[in-house]
Amino acid sequence: MNAPHACTADQARARLHDLTVIDVRTPGEYASGHLPGAHNIPLDQLVRALPAIEEAAGRGGILVVCASGARSAKACETLAEHGVAAATLTGGTGAWADRGHELHHPTAASRATWSMERQVRFTAGAVVLTGLGLGLLHRAWRLVSAGIAGGLVFSALTDTCGMAALLARLPHNRPRPADLDATLAALRRG
């Protein structure tokens, strides 16, 4: 499989009016700031959204965005498997913001959810500390900390994150069905 086409934040900004932007982060991450005009379709909902994305692709280019570029690259590969050409934003919304480009925030968002990376760091740290604390009671609990350490090494080597996949299923990281339906309708309208 070929690597997805990538563009820099400056290249994307110059063409933003010609692109349909798909943000594959969780709704909580999306609410913390997204590219202007971006449609929030979490990575695990991408296949469900394929018909609407195919329609949008027929009207112009598709730019897929996430926090750092890893999830958007996976999304581009999935889209390519279904015959939809898409580009990924190199460095994601982090690179966009670092270049001084504006991030939009949904008006209905009452509070921003932590980024997935921050949620993973917090959860991993809390589980490790818990394992070490309980290890004072019984040595076997230290295996919990060792398991998390092993998972982090595996995550780095494979560029995947099982903990992020689990955390993405929490209610604050999930789109409400009505929100996703509204996003797909907006995507179809162009």
Side-chain angles (χ1 to χ4, degrees):
M1 168 98 18
N2 293 338
H5 173 71
C7 62
T8 66
D10 291 334
Q11 291 169 332
R13 185 168 188 264
R15 294 191 49 226
L16 198 57
H17 61 282
D18 295 327
L19 298 171
T20 298
V21 181
I22 308 292
D23 191 320
V24 295
R25 297 176 299 158
T26 67
E29 291 176 291
Y30 175 82
S32 70
H34 57 271
L35 272 68
H39 300 277
N40 185 217
I41 302 174
L43 185 58
D44 64 347
Q45 298 292 314
L46 196 65
V47 173
R48 176 179 172 212
L50 270 171
I53 295 171
E54 288 170 343
E55 285 180 40
R59 294 188 300 268
I62 301 287
L63 176 66
V64 184
V65 179
C66 68
S68 66
R71 285 178 280 179
S72 61
K74 289 178 183 164
C76 285
E77 290 173 8
T78 299
L79 291 173
E81 290 169 3
H82 289 90
V84 178
T88 182
L89 179 62
T90 303
T93 54
W96 180 270
D98 288 347
R99 296 293 299 158
H101 304 315
E102 180 182 13
L103 289 175
H104 286 189
H105 303 274
T107 55
S110 58
R111 66 181 183 127
T113 302
W114 287 355
S115 70
M116 186 56 65
E117 179 186 355
R118 187 174 180 191
Q119 291 180 55
V120 168
R121 289 192 320 249
F122 176 81
T123 304
V127 172
V128 167
L129 287 175
T130 301
L132 291 173
L134 291 173
L136 297 173
L137 300 174
H138 193 281
R139 295 177 66 118
W141 283 106
R142 293 182 190 166
L143 293 176
V144 171
S145 299
I148 294 295
L152 291 171
V153 169
F154 179 79
S155 175
L157 292 174
T158 62
D159 197 23
T160 61
C161 186
M163 187 178 292
L166 290 173
L167 291 171
R169 298 190 191 295
L170 292 175
H172 67 276
N173 284 325
R174 306 279 308 150
R176 294 187 329 232
D179 292 343
L180 185 58
D181 290 341
T183 298
L184 295 180
L187 188 58
R188 283 190 172 104
R189 284 191 305 271

